Amino acid sequence: ASPGFLYLLLILPLMIGFYILRQHKITAALNIPGLNQFETSGYSFRHWLRHILFAFRIAAVGLLILILARPQATNSYQDISTEGIDIVVTLDISGSMLARDFKPDRLEASKNVATEFITGRPYDRIGLVVFSGESFTQCPVTTDHATLINLLREMKSGMIEDGTAIGEGLATAVNRIKDSEAKSKVIILLTDGSDVSSSHVNDSVAVVSRARASRIPIFSIGLDVPHNDEAVFRFLSQSTGGEYFIAPTSDQLADVF
């Protein structure tokens, strides 16, 4: 508990060294010629026994230092049962996501917050769908979150044709988890604009009906979304059992996640 006290064990070598020097000073010595015959006689048991008191002192000091350090041990276990869910993060990587009203920009701020979100859900399978003028699955749902985070960090605007095909992004996300056997499936949509290039722009009801049929709530997060587009996101979310959130700052985005 207090490992710093273990440094006091350095006192023990000093005590031993002082004891040896002291023995040389207090032991009587008399130079007598012609003692070669005693060289092989060795020391008696009594000679060694006189050091036992010092050995006890060293042991006592060492044990006192260990007591001060308060060594501890635990031997416990617990069974943890968890039920992971399937989550698909659907991320807008259009050119407008490079706006710098977030630090360093909307896209990087979104990636940073999504990374923290993924790290905090170790038992869930999470996938990544990105969209701009078109959409594709960057990572299918997986528990290999290290790989998922690496793929998320590689995302950048300009990888695909520019635009904001929200409908196609959601359709891809729904296809990724609609057949999952997980008891709970969720789509998180993160975007900053209106659906201006999706083939589903006039048929968002189709995406909603597919999500509802598969019991997949859509949670939409809008980054500075125009007011006239918010109704669309509320419809997408509330019709599937999800919610729509507004996140005009990085801190609010973190709170929403």
Side-chain angles (χ1 to χ4, degrees):
S2 305
F5 281 109
L6 295 178
Y7 286 110
L8 293 176
L9 292 174
L10 296 174
I11 295 174
L12 301 185
L14 297 177
M15 293 177 62
I16 295 172
F18 177 77
Y19 180 78
I20 294 173
L21 291 175
R22 185 169 176 270
Q23 290 298 309
H24 283 308
K25 291 182 179 180
I26 67 175
T27 301
L30 178 63
N31 294 324
I32 302 176
L35 295 179
N36 295 335
Q37 65 272 24
F38 297 107
E39 289 181 353
T40 59
S41 61
Y43 295 107
S44 67
F45 177 74
R46 183 178 180 182
H47 171 83
W48 295 110
L49 192 62
R50 66 192 178 95
H51 300 297
I52 193 169
L53 182 59
F54 175 73
F56 283 144
R57 288 173 181 167
I58 288 289
V61 172
L63 289 174
L64 285 173
I65 293 173
L66 290 177
I67 290 171
L68 289 173
R70 298 171 60 199
Q72 302 179 19
T74 59
N75 184 19
S76 63
Y77 68 92
Q78 57 181 337
D79 293 329
I80 300 176
S81 298
T82 61
E83 180 182 322
I85 66 176
D86 283 357
I87 303 172
V88 175
V89 177
T90 308
L91 180 61
D92 185 350
I93 61 171
S94 60
S96 59
M97 289 290 285
L98 298 179
R100 296 186 177 274
D101 50 349
F102 286 67
K103 300 297 182 183
D105 58 47
R106 294 178 182 177
L107 181 57
E108 289 302 317
S110 300
K111 288 161 61 175
N112 292 337
V113 174
T115 297
E116 293 181 7
F117 174 78
I118 293 167
T119 303
R121 305 193 67 88
Y123 304 111
D124 296 332
R125 296 200 312 166
I126 304 177
L128 176 63
V129 168
V130 296
F131 67 92
S132 186
E134 53 188 350
S135 69
F136 68 94
T137 302
Q138 175 68 2
C139 183
V141 287
T142 179
T143 55
D144 185 357
H145 292 175
T147 298
L148 173 61
I149 290 172
N150 286 336
L151 292 171
L152 174 62
R153 289 173 177 168
E154 292 176 0
M155 291 293 92
K156 58 184 179 180
S157 182
M159 294 181 61
I160 51 180
E161 179 185 354
D162 199 18
T164 311
I166 296 172
E168 293 182 16
L170 288 175
T172 302
V174 169
N175 288 335
R176 272 296 162 189
I177 56 173
K178 65 182 180 63
D179 296 324
S180 168
E181 296 181 357
K183 291 184 178 180
S184 181
K185 296 171 281 189
V186 174
I187 291 175
I188 299 176
L189 169 65
L190 201 156
T191 183
D192 69 344
S194 59
D195 193 331
V196 296
S197 59
S198 173
S199 59
H200 299 278
V201 65
N202 296 319
D203 197 19
S204 56
V205 175
V207 178
V208 168
S209 62
R210 292 174 62 192
R212 291 181 62 179
S214 301
R215 297 182 179 179
I216 305 173
I218 299 173
F219 291 87
S220 304
I221 305 173
L223 309 179
D224 195 27
V225 172
H227 291 296
N228 59 328
D229 295 326
E230 290 184 357
V232 176
F233 294 113
R234 286 197 177 90
F235 167 75
L236 287 172
S237 298
Q238 295 175 0
S239 298
T240 59
E243 293 184 55
Y244 170 63
F245 301 92
I246 303 173
T249 67
S250 297
D251 290 340
Q252 287 174 295
L253 177 60
D255 291 341
V256 167
F257 262 93

